[in-house]
Amino acid sequence: MRRVTSSHFFMYLRQLQKHSPLLTALVIIFICAQLFVILIWGIVITPFYNYGMFSEVIKVKNAYQIFEVELNGKRLRGKDFSPQKWDKILLPLQFYAGIKTSNQLYKSDIKRLLYKMRIPANDANFLLTCNYQQFENWYKDYLQDVTNQKIEAFAVSYRNYQYHSNKLQTSPTAIPLSQICR
């Protein structure tokens, strides 16, 4: 595989300049804008990623907190669904459980970035509340659509799993969904 150097990049820009001066200017403006956003504001915007996003080894934790979803008396298992459907089942629960954390992120970081970009930050548009009854009603209908099953009863809990003697073991107690919006 041929190695690309900075001289190749500048040769590309010279060729592009001959072909279209306007396109060359747009490419240079885009590069400068990306560098400005990444280096000055510390934000990573697609299609560019920081190397650090993918360079760390994922270590096994001693404990995991996992949502368990029971549908009509039967616990749903990830292996019975495609990864996309399993994400559709679990992600709303994770978002609901993380409402207060999300609100804190808005208050500490997003609001600051909006201010820097001179975009008005209306708290009412960003801050969420934990309304369990509303979420439960919505999630029941949503789960019925995702699983294509008529729901007579469902329950969601949050359970801790820990490694003991190289075996993942469940804790005897689970936290019901109504108590997990943190």
Side-chain angles (χ1 to χ4, degrees), residues 69-76 149-155:
V69 180
E70 279 190 21
L71 191 64
N72 300 329
K74 182 180 175 191
R75 190 165 67 168
L76 301 181
Q149 294 181 34
K150 176 101 171 98
I151 297 179
E152 303 297 328
F154 84 100

Side-chain angles (χ1 to χ4, degrees), residues 11 13 16 45 52 57 72 79-80 93-95 101-102 104 113 119 131 136 148 155 158 162 169 174 176:
M11 286 188 328
L13 283 180
L16 188 59
I45 297 179
V57 174
N72 300 329
K79 68 180 188 175
D80 296 334
L93 298 171
Q94 292 171 350
F95 290 142
T101 304
S102 176
Q104 190 58 39
L113 294 173
I119 298 173
N131 184 331
E136 182 185 48
N148 295 319
Y158 195 62
Q162 291 187 320
Q169 297 176 350

Side-chain angles (χ1 to χ4, degrees), residues 84-127:
Q84 294 81 8
K85 277 206 176 191
W86 191 241
D87 277 351
K88 286 181 178 182
I89 292 169
L90 292 184
L91 284 177
L93 298 171
Q94 292 171 350
F95 290 142
Y96 176 74
I99 284 176
K100 289 183 182 172
T101 304
S102 176
N103 287 344
Q104 190 58 39
L105 175 68
Y106 166 73
K107 289 175 185 175
S108 65
D109 291 333
I110 296 172
K111 198 171 187 176
R112 174 184 58 85
L113 294 173
L114 291 173
Y115 175 77
K116 279 187 174 184
M117 292 186 281
R118 300 192 185 349
I119 298 173
N122 183 355
D123 290 355
N125 292 336
F126 291 95
L127 297 177

Side-chain angles (χ1 to χ4, degrees), residues 26-37:
L26 289 174
V27 167
I28 290 172
I29 289 170
F30 177 76
I31 291 169
C32 291
Q34 284 293 322
L35 288 173
F36 177 76
V37 167

Side-chain angles (χ1 to χ4, degrees), residues 6-37:
S6 60
S7 62
H8 288 107
F9 173 72
F10 291 112
M11 286 188 328
Y12 164 75
L13 283 180
R14 271 189 252 129
Q15 290 286 335
L16 188 59
Q17 175 69 27
K18 289 177 186 175
H19 176 70
S20 172
L22 178 64
L23 187 57
T24 304
L26 289 174
V27 167
I28 290 172
I29 289 170
F30 177 76
I31 291 169
C32 291
Q34 284 293 322
L35 288 173
F36 177 76
V37 167

Side-chain angles (χ1 to χ4, degrees), residues 139-157:
Y139 189 69
K140 181 179 178 183
D141 293 338
Y142 175 80
L143 193 57
Q144 193 164 277
D145 288 341
V146 171
T147 60
N148 295 319
Q149 294 181 34
K150 176 101 171 98
I151 297 179
E152 303 297 328
F154 84 100
V156 177
S157 57

